[in-house]
């Protein structure tokens, strides 16, 4: 696929109403849950994003039939999955190397076949992101871990009745739900489970398929496996996209209504908006109105597991902090590689001090200027779009394939609200403009961040990173 860029002309106030799409992080595990039954499953509100298509490619490889009618703005997407002919084949590197959510196939394959094998999944480089929590969880369940340096490999059925996850890992919790609930008669209590809205949504769907789950939305889940049957489910809306649009309204001085927002999903984020000085109100159920025009105040934001401030909105909040009066503090508690976007913001004129890989100061307000910037991952890419929307002049955002892994029809949605944003395919060779190059001094900081993120000892050479 040719590399695609976004060309954005900034400082146009966004006005009007936007409806958030189905959640990527809910749709992917629900799609994997469909593999637990030999009956047909129908999922509504599935977003038309690259990650959904990557997972469908793997389904085809494994023999699961599917048909996807993508949404068109007026109608949400609908996906039918029929996994009666599912086969158990090892998943090769090319299927999983850019797609971490492929790890969610371990649970269904173990439940259906008693063994699962795949190359190590890749995905956004946000830090070390080991899959230890998954392997630990499956081993505690009673599975044999036969993984090597090249492949993740597990064998066995659910034997244990009580396990404690090593941390509140979202996808490890989802994998456990899939492995246990797809195993007839299994009964397992899981402690330290993640409680994110997408984990809850998977539980709701699994219940519709016939599973019994107690404690949904808490960190202690009691699971009763069963022979699961076909069901229909509407994937929950994407609170991360809602947060993105809320900040787009704030940063462009616009007046936005965002439809499809579940209040319970965004408490911490909305509290942070209040601390930032933003005026927001629930106009009706699930309709959030963001009014701007009030000066923003510096604030402190610390990411945490749900219901804390979501790490996936940390970069978007970092952009808003560049426009706030005073010194804002950002603590990224979950990942050690999620501040790379701050270097891109610096290129645009932001004043940033990265204290370590988990803590940064943002001193504002600083006007942002259009530059060529890159998307480091899905959420950092979305943050670049926010920065471009409030920057003077034209911004070119590269590597938008990351953004398109997670946001449905973003350019179209933004244009409808009044933004000037074009998707474009660049000329093959581009010589970078002088101001787009990261100065040598800043490059050292990039290496330093990467060194910390990858656990490489101080003094190692740049090529070790
Ligand atoms: N972690 C902690 N403490 C905790 C929980 C997690 O330090 O209490 C660390 C872990 O060590 C891990 C990292 O945080 O390295 C991520 O945790 P988790 O295992 O929950 O991440 P994940 O399951 O791989 C999912 C989402 C991510 C999201 C994280 C955190 C999906 C497919 N992915 O990843 O989403 O950032 O949870 O909420 O659901 C995205 O959508 O852009 C994305 C990266």
């Amino acid at each position: 696929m040719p590399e695609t860029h976004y060309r954005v002309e900034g400082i146009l106030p966004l006005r009007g109403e936007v409806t958030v799409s189905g959640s990527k992080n809910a749709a992917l595990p629900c799609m994997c849950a469909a593999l637990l039954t030999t009956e047909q499953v129908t999922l509504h509100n599935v977003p038309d994003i690259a990650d959904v298509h990557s997972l469908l490619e793997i389904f085809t490889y494994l023999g699961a039939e599917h048909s996807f009618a993508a949404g068109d703005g007026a109608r949400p997407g609908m996906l039918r999955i029929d996994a009666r002919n599912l086969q158990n084949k090892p998943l090769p590197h090319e299927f999983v190397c850019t797609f971490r959510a492929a790890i969610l196939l371990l649970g269904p394959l173990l439940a259906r076949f008693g063994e699962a094998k795949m190359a190590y999944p890749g995905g956004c480089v946000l830090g070390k992101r080991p899959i230890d929590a998954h392997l630990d969880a499956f081993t505690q369940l009673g599975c044999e871990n036969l993984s090597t340096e090249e492949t993740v490999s597990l064998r066995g059925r659910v034997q244990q009745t009580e396990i404690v996850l090593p941390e509140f890992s979202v996808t490890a919790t989802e994998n456990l739900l899939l492995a246990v609930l797809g195993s007839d008669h299994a009964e397992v209590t899981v402690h330290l489970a993640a409680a994110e809205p997408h984990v809850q949504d998977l539980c709701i769907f699994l219940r519709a398929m016939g599973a019994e789950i107690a404690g949904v939305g808490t960190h202690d889940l009691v699971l009763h496996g069963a022979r699961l049957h076909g069901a229909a489910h509407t994937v929950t809306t994407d609170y991360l996209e809602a947060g993105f649009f809320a900040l787009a309204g704030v940063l462009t001085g616009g007046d936005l209504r965002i439809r499809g927002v579940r209040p319970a999903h965004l408490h911490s984020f909305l509290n942070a908006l209040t601390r930032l000085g933003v005026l927001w109100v629930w106009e009706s159920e699930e309709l959030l109105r963001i009014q701007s025009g009030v000066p923003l105040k510096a604030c402190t934001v610390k990411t945490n597991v749900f219901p804390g401030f979501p790490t996936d909105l940390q970069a978007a909040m970092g952009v808003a902090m560049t426009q706030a009066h005073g010194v804002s503090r950002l603590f990224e508690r979950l990942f050690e590689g999620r501040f790379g976007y701050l270097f891109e913001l610096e290129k645009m004129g932001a004043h940033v001090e990265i204290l370590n890989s988990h803590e940064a100061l943002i001193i504002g307000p600083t006007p942002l200027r259009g530059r060529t910037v890159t998307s480091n991952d899905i959420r950092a890419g979305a943050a670049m779009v926010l920065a471009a929307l409030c920057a003077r002049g034209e911004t070119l955002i590269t590597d938008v394939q990351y953004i398109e892994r997670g946001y449905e029809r973003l350019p179209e949605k933004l244009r409808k609200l009044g933004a000037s944003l074009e998707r474009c395919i660049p000329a093959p060779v581009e010589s970078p403009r002088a101001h787009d190059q990261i100065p040598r001094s800043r490059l050292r900081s990039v290496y330093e961040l990467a060194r910390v993120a990858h656990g490489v000892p101080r003094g190692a050479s740049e090529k070790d990173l």
Side-chain angles (χ1 to χ4, degrees):
M1 217 170 69
E3 202 198 322
T4 313
H5 294 174
Y6 289 164
R7 195 182 296 283
V8 187
E9 192 65 47
I11 328 202
L12 294 171
L14 300 193
R15 296 186 200 285
E17 185 174 308
V18 63
T19 300
V20 291
S21 298
S23 153
K24 163 181 89 78
N25 289 345
L28 299 173
C30 286
M31 288 167 66
C32 292
L35 303 184
L36 295 172
T37 173
T38 52
E39 296 177 19
Q40 185 172 279
V41 155
T42 306
L43 293 172
H44 300 280
N45 205 27
V46 173
D48 185 12
I49 51 174
D51 271 13
V52 163
H53 290 281
S54 301
L55 189 54
L56 288 178
E57 256 182 64
I58 299 180
F59 281 14
T60 304
Y61 175 78
L62 293 175
E65 288 168 28
H66 51 82
S67 66
F68 182 37
D72 58 9
R75 215 172 11 93
M78 186 181 68
L79 173 63
R80 288 212 163 88
I81 300 170
D82 183 335
R84 82 187 61 187
N85 297 321
L86 189 75
Q87 298 159 42
N88 193 14
K89 293 197 270 184
L91 293 178
H93 177 73
E94 61 268 28
F95 277 133
V96 301
C97 59
T98 58
F99 182 47
R100 183 170 165 93
I103 195 83
L104 289 170
L105 290 158
L106 289 176
L109 292 176
L110 275 169
R112 288 245 344 228
F113 303 106
E115 56 185 324
K117 201 170 184 178
M118 64 171 67
Y120 281 90
C124 291
V125 184
L126 311 175
K128 282 181 277 197
R129 295 189 93 188
I131 59 160
D132 301 10
H134 297 254
L135 297 178
D136 184 301
F138 285 123
T139 314
Q140 285 191 56
L141 274 186
C143 298
E144 213 180 336
N145 178 8
L146 305 167
S147 305
T148 63
E149 282 201 353
E150 282 79 39
T151 47
V152 186
S153 175
L154 292 154
R155 189 190 300 152
R157 301 271 180 192
V158 177
Q159 290 167 32
Q160 292 308 310
T161 56
E162 184 145 24
I163 74 161
V164 185
L165 271 168
E167 59 190 18
F168 300 105
S169 169
V170 168
T171 48
T173 303
E174 291 166 349
N175 244 336
L176 273 179
L177 284 161
L178 296 166
V180 174
L181 295 171
S183 308
D184 208 3
H185 301 308
E187 282 195 24
V188 179
T189 300
V190 181
H191 302 288
L192 228 67
E196 267 66 8
H198 27 287
V199 179
Q200 297 183 35
D201 198 50
L202 174 64
C203 290
I204 293 167
F205 178 39
L206 285 163
R207 274 181 179 161
M209 293 176 76
E212 268 181 58
I213 313 169
V216 174
T218 74
H219 297 300
D220 297 290
L221 298 173
V222 184
L223 315 179
H224 292 263
R227 186 172 293 276
L228 300 184
H229 51 74
H233 176 67
T234 300
V235 172
T236 191
T237 51
D238 191 342
Y239 64 102
L240 303 171
E241 191 194 358
F244 168 89
F245 278 111
L247 288 169
V250 170
L251 287 165
T252 61
D255 185 358
L256 273 194
R257 288 182 175 77
I258 307 164
R259 191 172 286 283
V261 190
R262 309 259 157 96
H265 293 181
L266 272 181
H267 277 318
S268 292
F269 174 77
L270 292 172
N271 285 346
L273 281 195
T274 303
R275 293 199 298 281
L276 194 65
V278 173
L279 299 177
W280 57 268
V281 63
W282 291 108
E283 275 204 343
S284 62
E285 208 189 328
E286 302 197 354
L287 182 64
L288 177 66
R289 182 168 181 192
I290 300 290
Q291 290 161 301
S292 45
V294 182
L296 301 183
K297 299 175 291 194
C299 66
T300 295
V301 164
K302 301 178 182 183
T303 66
N304 212 333
V305 297
F306 186 79
F309 189 96
T311 170
D312 293 333
L313 281 170
Q314 180 260 110
M317 192 48 123
V319 178
M321 286 171 166
T322 67
Q323 303 308 304
H325 290 257
V327 180
S328 293
R329 302 176 79 89
L330 257 184
F331 290 88
E332 171 52 66
R333 283 192 169 130
L334 270 71
F335 291 106
E336 58 285 269
R338 257 195 158 169
F339 279 156
Y341 76 94
L342 290 172
F343 296 116
E344 302 302 298
L345 283 185
E346 272 196 321
K347 287 199 249 169
M348 299 176 79
H351 186 175
V352 170
E353 294 295 332
I354 298 176
L355 304 181
N356 56 60
S357 58
H358 289 282
E359 191 180 353
L361 304 179
I362 298 176
I363 301 109
T366 47
L368 299 183
R369 294 179 298 274
R371 292 287 184 263
T372 296
V373 289
T374 190
S375 317
N376 291 323
D377 62 70
I378 305 178
R379 309 303 168 188
M384 289 302 110
V385 175
L386 290 176
L389 289 173
C390 74
R392 189 166 296 284
E394 183 184 285
T395 301
L396 193 69
I397 305 174
T398 66
D399 293 307
V400 303
Q401 71 276 9
Y402 285 114
I403 302 174
E404 297 184 350
R405 281 185 48 195
Y407 293 86
E408 186 180 46
R409 297 192 317 276
L410 191 63
E412 186 189 314
K413 285 186 174 185
L414 285 168
R415 277 198 301 268
K416 274 200 182 140
L417 298 172
S420 165
L421 185 151
E422 295 304 324
R423 212 169 169 267
C424 54
I425 297 174
V429 185
E430 265 199 342
S431 61
R433 289 176 277 166
H435 62 232
D436 298 332
Q437 291 169 351
I438 304 178
R440 190 70 198 154
S441 56
R442 298 310 308 177
L443 261 182
R444 284 237 57 86
S445 317
V446 177
Y447 287 126
E448 188 56 17
L449 260 188
R451 185 188 67 73
V452 176
H454 295 284
V456 174
R458 199 178 283 280
S461 79
E462 287 166 11
K463 71 176 167 34
D464 294 327
L465 304 172

